Amino acid sequence: ILSTVTGVHKYKWLKQNVQGLYPQSALLNTIAEFALKEEPVDVEKMRKCLLKQLERAEVRLEGIDTILKLSAKNFLLPSVQYAMFCGWQRLIPEGANIGEPLTDCLKDVDLIPPFNRMLLEVTFGKLYAWAIQNVRNILLDANAKFKEL
């Protein structure tokens, strides 16, 4: 069995049949190429990459949970809430460079398990809801003051 598995070049006919018979999606082509690849696959390196992505996702989740806990506090001054919101969006004073803003909560963690992915998306969704509610409240207050004038 070992010699059969290592001798992938013997199965070139299978590779040609898999790729040529049916129209396939890009995902299926990628899976077929990976399965029929003749070079050895470094499983340990792949495992380390997946673990790093899981760690990165956990750090993001902890950070968002912290921001949500702080935003739930009603005793925070509006200026503190504003600074926290700007920090989350990486809106910083001109001249300081901390890198690109995080455009998607799943950026660089797209290989984590589905449960962790959904947990991250739901938590970010709660933060988005908090931000939208704050903007809505500010607009309603401004509208009320404008009508008084």
Side-chain angles (χ1 to χ4, degrees), residues 42-100:
D42 190 1
V43 177
E44 186 63 27
K45 187 175 181 180
M46 288 178 65
R47 189 181 70 78
K48 286 180 182 178
C49 289
L50 290 174
L51 285 175
K52 286 293 182 187
Q53 285 198 8
L54 278 171
E55 289 174 7
R56 193 178 298 131
E58 288 173 3
V59 168
R60 281 187 195 163
L61 190 60
E62 287 176 23
I64 293 301
D65 280 338
T66 303
I67 290 176
L68 282 173
K69 288 176 186 172
L70 288 174
S71 67
K73 308 287 184 187
N74 291 333
F75 60 83
L76 291 178
L77 295 172
S79 60
V80 173
Q81 288 182 348
Y82 176 75
M84 193 169 64
F85 183 65
C86 288
W88 167 61
Q89 289 185 317
R90 292 188 179 189
L91 299 173
I92 53 174
E94 191 174 329
N97 186 8
I98 61 170
E100 289 185 28

Side-chain angles (χ1 to χ4, degrees), residues 10 15 71 76 116 129:
K10 294 178 183 178
K15 185 176 182 178
S71 67
L76 291 178
N116 296 23

